[in-house]
Amino acid sequence: MMMEGQRFDLVNESRPLYEIPVDAPETLKRPSLWRKVGVALRELIETLILTLVIFLLIRFAVQNFRIEGSSMEPNFHDGQYLFVNKLIYLFQPPQRGDVIVFVPPNSGSRDFIKRVIGLPGERVEIRSGTVFINGEPLVESYPLYPGSYSTGPIVVPPDEYFVLGDNRNYSSDSHSWGTVPGKRIIGKAWFSYWPPQSIGFIPDYTYASSR
């Protein structure tokens, strides 16, 4: 029943209220073979450049070193491989007890590895194998084969270092050819990576003797 005043609109149910246009799906373009090759080549070049940059950074900071001979026995052995930290002495000077790799003053054919014993300005003397720093005996807490020779006294020049091998009687070092200028030091022995039984960081030592 229709009440007075009411009006109803007739809706044609056969037509949809809204017509949403549907576009035909776009045809996907498949990349060409040359495009695929170009992308792969670019990624390869980027990878090679990144690898080269990382390699150069590592070579700038770290150098590998192979020990030759027995001058550092019993702590380091012939054929042992080490990583050398080349950056550490940019921030601090060598310390007593550091094991360093350097170019020896008497030869440039191969690098040497020795232990820092005397620092710049110190008076170093060896009496029957015992090291004296400024007249006081140096207590060396690491394993070594003591020497039987005497040398000195010598005052270590500025920015130079008195170095010895741990196998004292069988080492070519400062007791025979003098001190090592700081500019010839390549870096500090940091990590042993071969042979497997020697893998590990190179230990640091402290000394009771005053500087």
Side-chain angles (χ1 to χ4, degrees), residues 126-146:
I126 302 176
R127 306 174 195 166
S128 301
T130 300
V131 178
F132 289 80
I133 303 293
N134 296 329
E136 298 293 330
L138 179 66
V139 179
E140 301 179 81
S141 57
Y142 40 81
L144 62 84
Y145 295 146

Side-chain angles (χ1 to χ4, degrees), residues 8 53 62 96 116 129 157 178 187 192 202 209:
F8 293 91
V53 170
V62 178
R96 194 188 330 278
V116 175
S192 173
I202 309 303
S209 176

Side-chain angles (χ1 to χ4, degrees), residues 10-147:
L10 296 178
V11 178
N12 186 354
E13 296 182 355
S14 64
R15 292 185 59 191
L17 293 177
Y18 303 98
E19 292 183 358
I20 302 175
V22 179
D23 296 333
E26 295 183 359
T27 303
L28 297 177
K29 295 182 179 180
R30 300 179 63 184
S32 66
L33 176 61
W34 288 112
R35 181 177 176 80
K36 290 181 179 179
V37 171
V39 171
L41 185 59
R42 185 185 66 185
E43 292 178 350
L44 176 61
I45 292 174
E46 290 174 350
T47 301
L48 290 176
I49 292 175
L50 180 60
T51 302
L52 179 61
V53 170
I54 293 174
F55 172 78
L56 292 176
L57 288 175
I58 292 175
R59 291 296 297 174
F60 177 73
V62 178
Q63 176 178 315
N64 62 316
F65 177 78
R66 181 183 185 275
I67 294 176
E68 298 180 7
S70 61
S71 69
M72 289 298 289
E73 297 277 0
N75 299 299
F76 303 93
H77 312 282
D78 183 48
Q80 185 174 348
Y81 283 85
L82 310 175
F83 285 130
V84 178
N85 184 340
K86 298 169 64 177
L87 296 182
I88 186 170
Y89 296 137
L90 296 179
F91 306 99
Q92 66 180 48
Q95 304 296 310
R96 194 188 330 278
D98 286 359
V99 177
I100 62 171
V101 173
F102 59 94
V103 179
N106 61 339
S107 173
S109 59
R110 65 187 181 95
D111 300 335
F112 277 20
I113 181 170
K114 305 294 175 186
R115 192 179 299 275
V116 175
I117 298 297
L119 303 177
E122 292 183 333
R123 182 173 178 270
V124 182
E125 184 178 4
I126 302 176
R127 306 174 195 166
S128 301
T130 300
V131 178
F132 289 80
I133 303 293
N134 296 329
E136 298 293 330
L138 179 66
V139 179
E140 301 179 81
S141 57
Y142 40 81
L144 62 84
Y145 295 146

